[in-house]
Amino acid sequence: MKLHIVRHAQAGKKSLWKGDDDERPLSPLGFAQSKELGKVLPKVRRLIASPTLRCHQTLEPLAERLELEIEADDALCKTTPLNGTLTLLDDLIAAGDNVAVCSHGEVLGPLMRELEATGVTLVGGSPANQKGSVWTVKVTKGEMLKATYRHPPHVSIKG
């Protein structure tokens, strides 16, 4: 099985956003990144995101292509302790389906460092990943072995 761990695409600047940060949307660049991710991410059976708007928007093009609903899970929130995120991943691995999850840099950096510390080989990137990037974790016999980094899609926007 494969687990695709997505950092949400580019969002508007936090310092310029006046509302609840959970409702901060993707920027025009982020929408372009999400469209490309929706084209290049492989078929999965489930899509799970942090409850924030930007994480859902990042997965929406893939959800539309695969005709899947996006499930919200607090285990992918910035405020969730790392062991909560690890428990979610363990549950997903036990289920055995290819899945994509979308979260935040504050979650994914520590998560990838923890996976590396427990023996998962990280290929092609560092735990401090970029917005719109993807770690694809290969799972064999219920064990995470290798995670391969995919840089954010190169997109340009007019305007």
Side-chain angles (χ1 to χ4, degrees):
M1 87 164 270
K2 290 188 179 176
L3 174 63
H4 305 281
I5 303 173
V6 181
R7 182 171 179 192
H8 69 74
Q10 189 72 36
K13 289 190 177 193
K14 192 183 302 188
S15 63
L16 298 176
W17 182 251
K18 303 294 184 210
D20 182 347
D21 190 52
D22 287 351
E23 296 301 319
R24 186 163 44 99
L26 294 180
S27 67
L29 174 61
F31 280 111
Q33 287 176 322
S34 72
K35 286 180 186 173
E36 287 304 308
L37 284 170
K39 294 177 190 173
V40 300
L41 280 173
K43 187 169 184 174
V44 295
R45 295 182 60 90
R46 288 180 73 187
L47 297 170
I48 306 170
S50 162
T52 62
L53 178 61
R54 58 194 172 276
C55 286
H56 278 258
Q57 288 175 330
T58 299
L59 293 181
E60 281 175 355
L62 181 61
E64 289 175 18
R65 184 181 66 132
L66 299 177
E67 298 180 351
L68 293 173
E69 295 292 321
I70 300 170
E71 303 169 42
D73 197 309
D74 289 340
L76 298 167
C77 289
K78 297 185 287 186
T79 56
T80 299
L82 181 58
N83 63 350
T85 307
L86 290 167
T87 298
L88 171 64
L89 297 187
D90 287 342
D91 292 347
L92 294 172
I93 289 167
D97 289 332
N98 289 340
V99 62
V101 300
C102 186
S103 190
H104 309 269
E106 296 90 341
V107 175
L108 299 185
L111 173 64
M112 298 313 296
R113 284 190 288 279
E114 177 66 19
L115 294 182
E116 185 177 38
T118 60
V120 176
T121 303
L122 303 185
V123 178
S126 71
N129 53 0
Q130 299 173 298
K131 292 178 181 176
S133 63
V134 180
W135 282 100
T136 297
V137 182
K138 183 176 182 188
V139 179
T140 303
K141 296 181 181 176
E143 190 173 338
M144 292 184 270
L145 302 174
K146 179 172 85 170
T148 304
Y149 184 74
R150 175 184 289 169
H151 291 278
H154 180 71
V155 295
S156 62
I157 56 172
K158 296 179 184 191

Short mmCIF file of all heavy atoms in Angstrom, two decimals, residues 11-74:
data_model
loop_
_atom_site.label_atom_id
_atom_site.label_comp_id
_atom_site.label_asym_id
_atom_site.label_seq_id
_atom_site.Cartn_x
_atom_site.Cartn_y
_atom_site.Cartn_z
N ALA A 11 -1.25 29.02 0.64
CA ALA A 11 -2.44 29.74 1.12
C ALA A 11 -2.10 31.22 1.21
O ALA A 11 -0.93 31.62 1.17
CB ALA A 11 -2.87 29.20 2.48
N GLY A 12 -3.12 32.01 1.35
CA GLY A 12 -2.90 33.43 1.56
C GLY A 12 -2.09 33.66 2.82
O GLY A 12 -2.04 32.82 3.72
N LYS A 13 -1.44 34.80 2.91
CA LYS A 13 -0.58 35.10 4.06
C LYS A 13 -1.39 35.17 5.35
O LYS A 13 -2.39 35.88 5.43
CB LYS A 13 0.17 36.41 3.85
CG LYS A 13 1.23 36.30 2.80
CD LYS A 13 2.10 37.54 2.80
CE LYS A 13 3.18 37.34 1.76
NZ LYS A 13 4.22 38.32 1.88
N LYS A 14 -0.91 34.45 6.35
CA LYS A 14 -1.56 34.43 7.65
C LYS A 14 -1.67 35.83 8.24
O LYS A 14 -2.70 36.20 8.81
CB LYS A 14 -0.76 33.53 8.59
CG LYS A 14 -1.45 33.19 9.87
CD LYS A 14 -0.59 32.35 10.80
CE LYS A 14 -0.13 31.08 10.19
NZ LYS A 14 0.54 30.18 11.15
N SER A 15 -0.62 36.64 8.06
CA SER A 15 -0.62 37.99 8.65
C SER A 15 -1.64 38.92 8.00
O SER A 15 -2.04 39.91 8.60
CB SER A 15 0.78 38.59 8.55
OG SER A 15 1.15 38.74 7.19
N LEU A 16 -2.06 38.61 6.78
CA LEU A 16 -3.02 39.46 6.09
C LEU A 16 -4.46 38.98 6.26
O LEU A 16 -5.40 39.67 5.89
CB LEU A 16 -2.68 39.54 4.60
CG LEU A 16 -1.33 40.16 4.26
CD1 LEU A 16 -1.09 40.10 2.76
CD2 LEU A 16 -1.24 41.59 4.78
N TRP A 17 -4.63 37.78 6.79
CA TRP A 17 -5.96 37.20 6.94
C TRP A 17 -6.59 37.69 8.23
O TRP A 17 -6.01 37.59 9.31
CB TRP A 17 -5.86 35.68 6.94
CG TRP A 17 -7.18 35.00 7.04
CD1 TRP A 17 -7.66 34.31 8.11
CD2 TRP A 17 -8.20 34.94 6.05
NE1 TRP A 17 -8.92 33.83 7.84
CE2 TRP A 17 -9.27 34.22 6.58
CE3 TRP A 17 -8.31 35.46 4.76
CZ2 TRP A 17 -10.44 33.97 5.88
CZ3 TRP A 17 -9.47 35.21 4.06
CH2 TRP A 17 -10.52 34.47 4.61
N LYS A 18 -7.78 38.24 8.14
CA LYS A 18 -8.45 38.83 9.30
C LYS A 18 -9.38 37.85 10.03
O LYS A 18 -9.75 38.08 11.16
CB LYS A 18 -9.26 40.07 8.88
CG LYS A 18 -8.44 41.13 8.19
CD LYS A 18 -7.42 41.74 9.12
CE LYS A 18 -6.69 42.86 8.42
NZ LYS A 18 -5.34 43.04 8.87
N GLY A 19 -9.76 36.79 9.38
CA GLY A 19 -10.72 35.86 9.98
C GLY A 19 -10.06 34.74 10.73
O GLY A 19 -8.86 34.74 11.01
N ASP A 20 -10.86 33.73 11.03
CA ASP A 20 -10.40 32.51 11.69
C ASP A 20 -9.39 31.82 10.76
O ASP A 20 -9.67 31.61 9.58
CB ASP A 20 -11.61 31.61 11.94
CG ASP A 20 -11.28 30.31 12.66
OD1 ASP A 20 -10.09 29.95 12.78
OD2 ASP A 20 -12.23 29.65 13.10
N ASP A 21 -8.23 31.46 11.31
CA ASP A 21 -7.19 30.86 10.47
C ASP A 21 -7.64 29.55 9.84
O ASP A 21 -7.18 29.19 8.76
CB ASP A 21 -5.90 30.65 11.28
CG ASP A 21 -4.74 30.26 10.38
OD1 ASP A 21 -4.49 30.98 9.38
OD2 ASP A 21 -4.10 29.23 10.66
N ASP A 22 -8.56 28.84 10.48
CA ASP A 22 -9.07 27.59 9.89
C ASP A 22 -9.82 27.84 8.59
O ASP A 22 -9.98 26.94 7.78
CB ASP A 22 -9.98 26.86 10.87
CG ASP A 22 -9.23 26.21 12.01
OD1 ASP A 22 -7.97 26.17 11.97
OD2 ASP A 22 -9.88 25.73 12.95
N GLU A 23 -10.28 29.07 8.38
CA GLU A 23 -11.04 29.43 7.18
C GLU A 23 -10.16 30.13 6.13
O GLU A 23 -10.68 30.58 5.10
CB GLU A 23 -12.22 30.31 7.54
CG GLU A 23 -13.24 29.60 8.42
CD GLU A 23 -13.82 28.35 7.78
OE1 GLU A 23 -14.10 28.38 6.57
OE2 GLU A 23 -13.96 27.33 8.47
N ARG A 24 -8.86 30.23 6.38
CA ARG A 24 -7.97 30.89 5.41
C ARG A 24 -7.87 30.01 4.16
O ARG A 24 -7.50 28.85 4.23
CB ARG A 24 -6.58 31.12 6.02
CG ARG A 24 -5.66 31.91 5.13
CD ARG A 24 -4.47 32.46 5.93
NE ARG A 24 -3.88 31.52 6.84
CZ ARG A 24 -2.77 30.83 6.60
NH1 ARG A 24 -2.12 30.98 5.47
NH2 ARG A 24 -2.30 29.99 7.51
N PRO A 25 -8.20 30.58 2.99
CA PRO A 25 -8.22 29.79 1.75
C PRO A 25 -6.85 29.72 1.08
O PRO A 25 -5.91 30.41 1.46
CB PRO A 25 -9.20 30.57 0.88
CG PRO A 25 -8.98 32.00 1.29
CD PRO A 25 -8.70 31.94 2.78
N LEU A 26 -6.82 28.90 0.06
CA LEU A 26 -5.64 28.86 -0.80
C LEU A 26 -5.52 30.19 -1.55
O LEU A 26 -6.53 30.86 -1.83
CB LEU A 26 -5.75 27.72 -1.82
CG LEU A 26 -5.73 26.30 -1.27
CD1 LEU A 26 -5.85 25.31 -2.42
CD2 LEU A 26 -4.49 26.03 -0.44
N SER A 27 -4.31 30.52 -1.91
CA SER A 27 -4.05 31.67 -2.77
C SER A 27 -4.27 31.25 -4.22
O SER A 27 -4.44 30.05 -4.50
CB SER A 27 -2.60 32.13 -2.58
OG SER A 27 -1.72 31.12 -3.08
N PRO A 28 -4.25 32.19 -5.16
CA PRO A 28 -4.34 31.78 -6.58
C PRO A 28 -3.25 30.75 -6.95
O PRO A 28 -3.53 29.79 -7.67
CB PRO A 28 -4.17 33.09 -7.33
CG PRO A 28 -4.77 34.11 -6.40
CD PRO A 28 -4.32 33.65 -5.02
N LEU A 29 -2.04 30.93 -6.44
CA LEU A 29 -0.98 29.95 -6.69
C LEU A 29 -1.35 28.60 -6.08
O LEU A 29 -1.16 27.55 -6.69
CB LEU A 29 0.37 30.44 -6.13
CG LEU A 29 1.53 29.45 -6.21
CD1 LEU A 29 1.84 29.06 -7.65
CD2 LEU A 29 2.76 30.02 -5.52
N GLY A 30 -1.92 28.63 -4.88
CA GLY A 30 -2.33 27.39 -4.22
C GLY A 30 -3.41 26.65 -4.99
O GLY A 30 -3.37 25.42 -5.09
N PHE A 31 -4.37 27.38 -5.55
CA PHE A 31 -5.40 26.72 -6.36
C PHE A 31 -4.78 26.07 -7.60
O PHE A 31 -5.15 24.97 -7.98
CB PHE A 31 -6.50 27.71 -6.78
CG PHE A 31 -7.51 27.95 -5.70
CD1 PHE A 31 -7.58 29.17 -5.06
CD2 PHE A 31 -8.40 26.95 -5.32
CE1 PHE A 31 -8.52 29.40 -4.06
CE2 PHE A 31 -9.35 27.16 -4.32
CZ PHE A 31 -9.40 28.40 -3.69
N ALA A 32 -3.80 26.75 -8.21
CA ALA A 32 -3.12 26.17 -9.37
C ALA A 32 -2.34 24.92 -8.95
O ALA A 32 -2.35 23.91 -9.67
CB ALA A 32 -2.19 27.21 -10.01
N GLN A 33 -1.68 24.97 -7.80
CA GLN A 33 -0.96 23.79 -7.30
C GLN A 33 -1.93 22.64 -7.05
O GLN A 33 -1.65 21.49 -7.40
CB GLN A 33 -0.22 24.12 -6.00
CG GLN A 33 0.99 24.99 -6.16
CD GLN A 33 1.61 25.35 -4.82
OE1 GLN A 33 0.91 25.60 -3.83
NE2 GLN A 33 2.94 25.39 -4.79
N SER A 34 -3.08 22.94 -6.43
CA SER A 34 -4.03 21.88 -6.11
C SER A 34 -4.57 21.21 -7.38
O SER A 34 -4.77 19.99 -7.41
CB SER A 34 -5.17 22.39 -5.23
OG SER A 34 -6.05 23.22 -5.94
N LYS A 35 -4.79 22.01 -8.43
CA LYS A 35 -5.25 21.42 -9.70
C LYS A 35 -4.22 20.46 -10.26
O LYS A 35 -4.56 19.37 -10.74
CB LYS A 35 -5.56 22.52 -10.71
CG LYS A 35 -6.84 23.25 -10.42
CD LYS A 35 -7.13 24.33 -11.43
CE LYS A 35 -8.35 25.13 -11.02
NZ LYS A 35 -8.59 26.27 -11.87
N GLU A 36 -2.94 20.85 -10.20
CA GLU A 36 -1.87 19.97 -10.69
C GLU A 36 -1.74 18.72 -9.83
O GLU A 36 -1.57 17.62 -10.35
CB GLU A 36 -0.54 20.71 -10.78
CG GLU A 36 -0.47 21.69 -11.93
CD GLU A 36 -0.76 21.05 -13.28
OE1 GLU A 36 -0.12 20.02 -13.61
OE2 GLU A 36 -1.63 21.56 -14.00
N LEU A 37 -1.81 18.90 -8.51
CA LEU A 37 -1.76 17.73 -7.62
C LEU A 37 -2.91 16.77 -7.93
O LEU A 37 -2.73 15.55 -7.92
CB LEU A 37 -1.83 18.16 -6.16
CG LEU A 37 -0.56 18.75 -5.56
CD1 LEU A 37 -0.85 19.35 -4.19
CD2 LEU A 37 0.53 17.70 -5.47
N GLY A 38 -4.07 17.33 -8.22
CA GLY A 38 -5.23 16.50 -8.55
C GLY A 38 -5.03 15.68 -9.81
O GLY A 38 -5.62 14.62 -9.96
N LYS A 39 -4.17 16.15 -10.69
CA LYS A 39 -3.87 15.42 -11.93
C LYS A 39 -2.80 14.36 -11.73
O LYS A 39 -2.82 13.33 -12.39
CB LYS A 39 -3.39 16.39 -13.01
CG LYS A 39 -4.42 17.37 -13.50
CD LYS A 39 -3.78 18.31 -14.50
CE LYS A 39 -4.67 19.48 -14.86
NZ LYS A 39 -3.96 20.45 -15.70
N VAL A 40 -1.82 14.63 -10.86
CA VAL A 40 -0.65 13.75 -10.78
C VAL A 40 -0.67 12.76 -9.64
O VAL A 40 0.02 11.74 -9.70
CB VAL A 40 0.67 14.56 -10.72
CG1 VAL A 40 0.84 15.42 -11.95
CG2 VAL A 40 0.78 15.39 -9.46
N LEU A 41 -1.45 13.02 -8.61
CA LEU A 41 -1.51 12.03 -7.53
C LEU A 41 -2.23 10.79 -8.03
O LEU A 41 -3.23 10.87 -8.74
CB LEU A 41 -2.23 12.60 -6.31
CG LEU A 41 -1.39 13.51 -5.42
CD1 LEU A 41 -2.24 14.16 -4.35
CD2 LEU A 41 -0.25 12.75 -4.78
N PRO A 42 -1.73 9.63 -7.64
CA PRO A 42 -2.33 8.39 -8.14
C PRO A 42 -3.68 8.11 -7.48
O PRO A 42 -4.09 8.79 -6.53
CB PRO A 42 -1.30 7.33 -7.74
CG PRO A 42 -0.56 7.91 -6.61
CD PRO A 42 -0.56 9.39 -6.80
N LYS A 43 -4.33 7.10 -7.99
CA LYS A 43 -5.64 6.72 -7.47
C LYS A 43 -5.48 6.22 -6.04
O LYS A 43 -4.60 5.44 -5.72
CB LYS A 43 -6.24 5.62 -8.35
CG LYS A 43 -7.65 5.31 -7.98
CD LYS A 43 -8.31 4.42 -8.99
CE LYS A 43 -9.76 4.23 -8.57
NZ LYS A 43 -10.50 3.51 -9.57
N VAL A 44 -6.37 6.72 -5.19
CA VAL A 44 -6.43 6.29 -3.80
C VAL A 44 -7.88 5.93 -3.50
O VAL A 44 -8.79 6.26 -4.26
CB VAL A 44 -5.93 7.39 -2.83
CG1 VAL A 44 -4.44 7.67 -3.05
CG2 VAL A 44 -6.73 8.68 -2.98
N ARG A 45 -8.09 5.28 -2.37
CA ARG A 45 -9.45 4.89 -2.00
C ARG A 45 -10.06 5.81 -0.96
O ARG A 45 -11.26 5.82 -0.77
CB ARG A 45 -9.46 3.44 -1.51
CG ARG A 45 -9.08 2.48 -2.63
CD ARG A 45 -9.13 1.05 -2.18
NE ARG A 45 -10.41 0.60 -1.71
CZ ARG A 45 -11.36 0.04 -2.46
NH1 ARG A 45 -11.15 -0.11 -3.74
NH2 ARG A 45 -12.48 -0.36 -1.94
N ARG A 46 -9.19 6.60 -0.29
CA ARG A 46 -9.68 7.54 0.72
C ARG A 46 -8.88 8.83 0.66
O ARG A 46 -7.69 8.81 0.36
CB ARG A 46 -9.53 6.95 2.13
CG ARG A 46 -10.49 5.84 2.44
CD ARG A 46 -10.28 5.31 3.83
NE ARG A 46 -10.77 6.22 4.87
CZ ARG A 46 -10.56 6.01 6.16
NH1 ARG A 46 -9.89 4.94 6.57
NH2 ARG A 46 -11.03 6.87 7.05
N LEU A 47 -9.56 9.93 1.01
CA LEU A 47 -8.93 11.24 1.14
C LEU A 47 -9.30 11.78 2.51
O LEU A 47 -10.48 11.85 2.86
CB LEU A 47 -9.45 12.19 0.07
CG LEU A 47 -9.15 11.82 -1.37
CD1 LEU A 47 -9.93 12.72 -2.32
CD2 LEU A 47 -7.66 11.92 -1.63
N ILE A 48 -8.27 12.16 3.27
CA ILE A 48 -8.49 12.64 4.63
C ILE A 48 -7.70 13.93 4.80
O ILE A 48 -6.53 14.00 4.41
CB ILE A 48 -8.06 11.60 5.67
CG1 ILE A 48 -8.76 10.26 5.40
CG2 ILE A 48 -8.35 12.09 7.09
CD1 ILE A 48 -8.23 9.10 6.21
N ALA A 49 -8.32 14.94 5.39
CA ALA A 49 -7.67 16.24 5.53
C ALA A 49 -7.91 16.81 6.92
O ALA A 49 -8.89 16.49 7.59
CB ALA A 49 -8.20 17.23 4.49
N SER A 50 -6.99 17.67 7.31
CA SER A 50 -7.24 18.54 8.46
C SER A 50 -8.55 19.27 8.17
O SER A 50 -8.87 19.54 7.01
CB SER A 50 -6.09 19.53 8.58
OG SER A 50 -6.45 20.64 9.38
N PRO A 51 -9.33 19.62 9.20
CA PRO A 51 -10.60 20.31 8.96
C PRO A 51 -10.47 21.72 8.37
O PRO A 51 -11.48 22.32 8.05
CB PRO A 51 -11.24 20.36 10.35
CG PRO A 51 -10.57 19.30 11.14
CD PRO A 51 -9.19 19.20 10.59
N THR A 52 -9.27 22.23 8.19
CA THR A 52 -9.12 23.59 7.67
C THR A 52 -9.51 23.67 6.20
O THR A 52 -9.36 22.72 5.44
CB THR A 52 -7.68 24.10 7.83
OG1 THR A 52 -6.81 23.27 7.08
CG2 THR A 52 -7.24 24.13 9.28
N LEU A 53 -9.99 24.85 5.81
CA LEU A 53 -10.41 25.08 4.43
C LEU A 53 -9.29 24.81 3.44
O LEU A 53 -9.49 24.15 2.42
CB LEU A 53 -10.93 26.52 4.29
CG LEU A 53 -11.37 26.94 2.88
CD1 LEU A 53 -12.52 26.07 2.39
CD2 LEU A 53 -11.76 28.42 2.88
N ARG A 54 -8.07 25.30 3.71
CA ARG A 54 -6.97 25.16 2.75
C ARG A 54 -6.57 23.70 2.52
O ARG A 54 -6.20 23.33 1.41
CB ARG A 54 -5.78 26.02 3.15
CG ARG A 54 -5.19 25.76 4.50
CD ARG A 54 -4.25 26.90 4.93
NE ARG A 54 -3.80 26.78 6.29
CZ ARG A 54 -4.47 27.21 7.36
NH1 ARG A 54 -5.65 27.78 7.21
NH2 ARG A 54 -3.97 27.07 8.56
N CYS A 55 -6.69 22.86 3.54
CA CYS A 55 -6.38 21.44 3.34
C CYS A 55 -7.44 20.78 2.46
O CYS A 55 -7.12 20.00 1.57
CB CYS A 55 -6.24 20.73 4.67
SG CYS A 55 -4.70 21.12 5.54
N HIS A 56 -8.70 21.11 2.70
CA HIS A 56 -9.78 20.56 1.85
C HIS A 56 -9.63 21.05 0.42
O HIS A 56 -9.76 20.27 -0.52
CB HIS A 56 -11.15 20.93 2.41
CG HIS A 56 -11.57 20.03 3.52
ND1 HIS A 56 -12.48 19.02 3.35
CD2 HIS A 56 -11.18 19.97 4.81
CE1 HIS A 56 -12.64 18.37 4.48
NE2 HIS A 56 -11.87 18.93 5.38
N GLN A 57 -9.35 22.34 0.25
CA GLN A 57 -9.20 22.88 -1.10
C GLN A 57 -8.04 22.23 -1.84
O GLN A 57 -8.10 22.05 -3.05
CB GLN A 57 -9.01 24.39 -1.04
CG GLN A 57 -10.26 25.14 -0.66
CD GLN A 57 -10.04 26.63 -0.49
OE1 GLN A 57 -8.96 27.08 -0.12
NE2 GLN A 57 -11.08 27.41 -0.77
N THR A 58 -7.00 21.86 -1.11
CA THR A 58 -5.85 21.20 -1.75
C THR A 58 -6.24 19.85 -2.34
O THR A 58 -5.77 19.48 -3.42
CB THR A 58 -4.70 21.03 -0.73
OG1 THR A 58 -4.29 22.33 -0.28
CG2 THR A 58 -3.51 20.29 -1.33
N LEU A 59 -7.13 19.13 -1.68
CA LEU A 59 -7.52 17.80 -2.15
C LEU A 59 -8.74 17.80 -3.07
O LEU A 59 -9.06 16.78 -3.68
CB LEU A 59 -7.79 16.88 -0.96
CG LEU A 59 -6.59 16.50 -0.10
CD1 LEU A 59 -7.03 15.56 1.02
CD2 LEU A 59 -5.48 15.87 -0.92
N GLU A 60 -9.45 18.91 -3.18
CA GLU A 60 -10.70 18.93 -3.96
C GLU A 60 -10.54 18.48 -5.42
O GLU A 60 -11.37 17.69 -5.89
CB GLU A 60 -11.35 20.31 -3.89
CG GLU A 60 -12.10 20.51 -2.59
CD GLU A 60 -12.67 21.91 -2.43
OE1 GLU A 60 -12.42 22.79 -3.27
OE2 GLU A 60 -13.38 22.12 -1.43
N PRO A 61 -9.52 18.94 -6.16
CA PRO A 61 -9.42 18.46 -7.54
C PRO A 61 -9.22 16.94 -7.63
O PRO A 61 -9.78 16.28 -8.52
CB PRO A 61 -8.21 19.22 -8.10
CG PRO A 61 -8.18 20.47 -7.29
CD PRO A 61 -8.57 20.03 -5.91
N LEU A 62 -8.46 16.37 -6.69
CA LEU A 62 -8.28 14.92 -6.68
C LEU A 62 -9.59 14.24 -6.30
O LEU A 62 -9.95 13.22 -6.91
CB LEU A 62 -7.16 14.54 -5.70
CG LEU A 62 -6.83 13.05 -5.60
CD1 LEU A 62 -6.37 12.49 -6.94
CD2 LEU A 62 -5.78 12.82 -4.52
N ALA A 63 -10.30 14.79 -5.35
CA ALA A 63 -11.60 14.23 -4.95
C ALA A 63 -12.57 14.22 -6.13
O ALA A 63 -13.27 13.23 -6.35
CB ALA A 63 -12.18 15.04 -3.79
N GLU A 64 -12.59 15.29 -6.89
CA GLU A 64 -13.47 15.36 -8.06
C GLU A 64 -13.07 14.33 -9.10
O GLU A 64 -13.94 13.63 -9.65
CB GLU A 64 -13.43 16.76 -8.66
CG GLU A 64 -14.12 17.80 -7.82
CD GLU A 64 -13.97 19.21 -8.36
OE1 GLU A 64 -13.62 19.38 -9.55
OE2 GLU A 64 -14.20 20.16 -7.58
N ARG A 65 -11.77 14.21 -9.37
CA ARG A 65 -11.31 13.25 -10.37
C ARG A 65 -11.65 11.82 -9.97
O ARG A 65 -12.05 11.00 -10.80
CB ARG A 65 -9.80 13.39 -10.57
CG ARG A 65 -9.25 12.48 -11.67
CD ARG A 65 -7.76 12.63 -11.82
NE ARG A 65 -7.12 12.15 -10.61
CZ ARG A 65 -6.10 11.32 -10.58
NH1 ARG A 65 -5.53 10.90 -11.67
NH2 ARG A 65 -5.59 10.92 -9.44
N LEU A 66 -11.49 11.50 -8.68
CA LEU A 66 -11.70 10.13 -8.22
C LEU A 66 -13.12 9.87 -7.71
O LEU A 66 -13.45 8.75 -7.32
CB LEU A 66 -10.70 9.79 -7.11
CG LEU A 66 -9.23 9.87 -7.50
CD1 LEU A 66 -8.35 9.59 -6.29
CD2 LEU A 66 -8.92 8.91 -8.64
N GLU A 67 -13.95 10.94 -7.70
CA GLU A 67 -15.31 10.85 -7.19
C GLU A 67 -15.34 10.32 -5.76
O GLU A 67 -16.07 9.39 -5.41
CB GLU A 67 -16.19 10.00 -8.11
CG GLU A 67 -16.30 10.59 -9.51
CD GLU A 67 -17.15 9.75 -10.44
OE1 GLU A 67 -17.55 8.62 -10.10
OE2 GLU A 67 -17.43 10.25 -11.55
N LEU A 68 -14.52 10.97 -4.91
CA LEU A 68 -14.43 10.62 -3.49
C LEU A 68 -14.80 11.83 -2.64
O LEU A 68 -14.61 12.96 -3.05
CB LEU A 68 -13.00 10.19 -3.12
CG LEU A 68 -12.47 8.90 -3.71
CD1 LEU A 68 -10.99 8.73 -3.37
CD2 LEU A 68 -13.28 7.71 -3.20
N GLU A 69 -15.29 11.55 -1.46
CA GLU A 69 -15.52 12.59 -0.46
C GLU A 69 -14.21 12.80 0.31
O GLU A 69 -13.42 11.87 0.46
CB GLU A 69 -16.62 12.17 0.51
CG GLU A 69 -17.98 12.01 -0.13
CD GLU A 69 -18.56 13.34 -0.61
OE1 GLU A 69 -18.39 14.35 0.10
OE2 GLU A 69 -19.17 13.35 -1.69
N ILE A 70 -14.02 14.00 0.81
CA ILE A 70 -12.87 14.30 1.67
C ILE A 70 -13.34 14.20 3.11
O ILE A 70 -14.28 14.88 3.51
CB ILE A 70 -12.31 15.70 1.39
CG1 ILE A 70 -11.86 15.81 -0.07
CG2 ILE A 70 -11.14 16.01 2.34
CD1 ILE A 70 -11.52 17.23 -0.50
N GLU A 71 -12.70 13.33 3.86
CA GLU A 71 -13.02 13.17 5.28
C GLU A 71 -12.17 14.16 6.07
O GLU A 71 -10.99 14.33 5.80
CB GLU A 71 -12.67 11.75 5.74
CG GLU A 71 -13.35 10.65 4.96
CD GLU A 71 -12.76 9.29 5.29
OE1 GLU A 71 -12.49 9.01 6.48
OE2 GLU A 71 -12.53 8.51 4.35
N ALA A 72 -12.76 14.79 7.06
CA ALA A 72 -12.01 15.67 7.96
C ALA A 72 -11.60 14.87 9.19
O ALA A 72 -12.39 14.07 9.71
CB ALA A 72 -12.87 16.85 8.38
N ASP A 73 -10.35 15.07 9.64
CA ASP A 73 -9.88 14.37 10.82
C ASP A 73 -9.01 15.30 11.65
O ASP A 73 -8.01 15.83 11.16
CB ASP A 73 -9.09 13.12 10.43
CG ASP A 73 -8.94 12.15 11.59
OD1 ASP A 73 -8.50 12.60 12.68
OD2 ASP A 73 -9.25 10.96 11.41
N ASP A 74 -9.40 15.48 12.91
CA ASP A 74 -8.65 16.36 13.81
C ASP A 74 -7.23 15.88 14.06
O ASP A 74 -6.38 16.66 14.50
CB ASP A 74 -9.38 16.50 15.14
CG ASP A 74 -10.64 17.33 15.04
OD1 ASP A 74 -10.77 18.11 14.06
OD2 ASP A 74 -11.50 17.21 15.93
#
